[in-house]
Amino acid sequence: MNNQDQPNLLVARLLVEPGITEIMHIMAEQLPAVFRHSLNAAYLTAEICYSQVDKEMRTDLIYDKLDCIRGALLHDIGKLDISKDILHKREELTPEEVRILMEHTKLGYHKICELEETLVSNSPIHFSDTVKDIILHHHECVDGTGYPDNIKEINIATRLVSICDRYDAMTEDRPYRPAKTKYGAYQALYSNNLDRDLFLLLVSCDNR
């Protein structure tokens, strides 16, 4: 496996893991836009995790890079429990609708914990604390202004998925707004309270 192919092949490998394949199949059927976004975030996460510059920066602190990619695939599973009327609304969301949408992080965390109590193909499922933390905290910010817990100390794997999530979301058309250009997304991300080192890695690895 050469370095160029490794990220894509790793994502493909994880997509057929027990537990992940079932969730992604449901998401592809029920929320195809969220499915595509989750794949995009996972591919970009994998590119950064296995980039040639990671030794010079901080992704060498991500001890289980596969769990980081798993978390990217599953980070938005809580949206399966959010009304499609909210997810697909073309107008600006009301404050109450925003509050409901923000619940997707907690809903996803509880969903993944419940899934661990089930059996897939007669085998138990286990997701690491890293995967669960990514699902729960991918909307946190390093200055404590994120949600759901307003924390400042954020796992580096979660910070990485967070920036990939936000970048892909900004560069996709949404029902309520057009996509930003990649450079417009860079400007927006740079001004946000995110990890600056990881931002620079994203820019260096983005081949879109």
Side-chain angles (χ1 to χ4, degrees), residues 47-198:
E47 289 283 352
I48 295 174
C49 277
Y50 289 91
S51 67
Q52 294 303 297
V53 294
D54 68 357
K55 297 300 182 185
E56 301 171 17
M57 303 194 68
R58 291 165 55 194
T59 58
D60 57 321
L61 298 178
I62 301 175
Y63 299 114
D64 195 333
K65 297 180 181 183
L66 289 180
D67 270 342
C68 191
I69 303 167
R70 288 183 183 99
L73 285 169
L74 299 174
H75 75 279
D76 267 347
I77 63 167
K79 289 184 178 178
L80 289 168
D81 295 328
I82 300 292
S83 167
K84 291 182 180 178
D85 291 339
I86 292 177
L87 294 177
H88 298 156
K89 187 175 180 181
R90 294 188 174 276
E91 299 81 24
E92 184 177 356
L93 298 180
T94 67
E96 176 61 14
E97 289 169 335
V98 171
R99 185 196 66 77
I100 292 171
L101 181 60
M102 289 169 64
E103 289 293 312
H104 81 274
T105 57
K106 292 181 179 179
L107 292 170
Y109 176 79
H110 293 307
K111 182 179 286 291
I112 208 72
C113 292
E114 290 170 1
L115 184 62
E116 286 189 319
E117 299 176 2
T118 68
L119 293 177
V120 175
S121 300
N122 296 317
S123 300
I125 302 171
H126 173 72
F127 292 101
S128 72
D129 290 341
T130 296
V131 172
K132 293 173 184 175
D133 189 77
I134 290 169
I135 293 170
L136 181 61
H137 289 137
H138 65 275
H139 280 290
E140 300 286 1
C141 297
V142 294
D143 67 345
T145 60
Y147 65 89
D149 296 320
N150 307 113
I151 59 174
K152 295 181 179 180
E153 298 298 322
I154 308 165
N155 183 294
I156 187 171
T158 302
R159 296 201 302 273
L160 174 56
V161 173
S162 174
I163 201 167
C164 294
D165 165 40
R166 297 180 201 205
Y167 173 71
D168 185 71
M170 288 179 182
T171 53
E172 282 187 334
D173 285 320
R174 292 295 169 93
Y176 51 89
R177 56 131 177 96
K180 290 181 181 292
T181 65
K182 64 188 299 183
Y183 299 106
Y186 290 162
Q187 289 179 323
L189 287 171
Y190 187 79
S191 64
N192 286 345
N193 293 300
L194 300 174
D195 188 306
R196 290 295 172 86
D197 286 349
L198 294 180

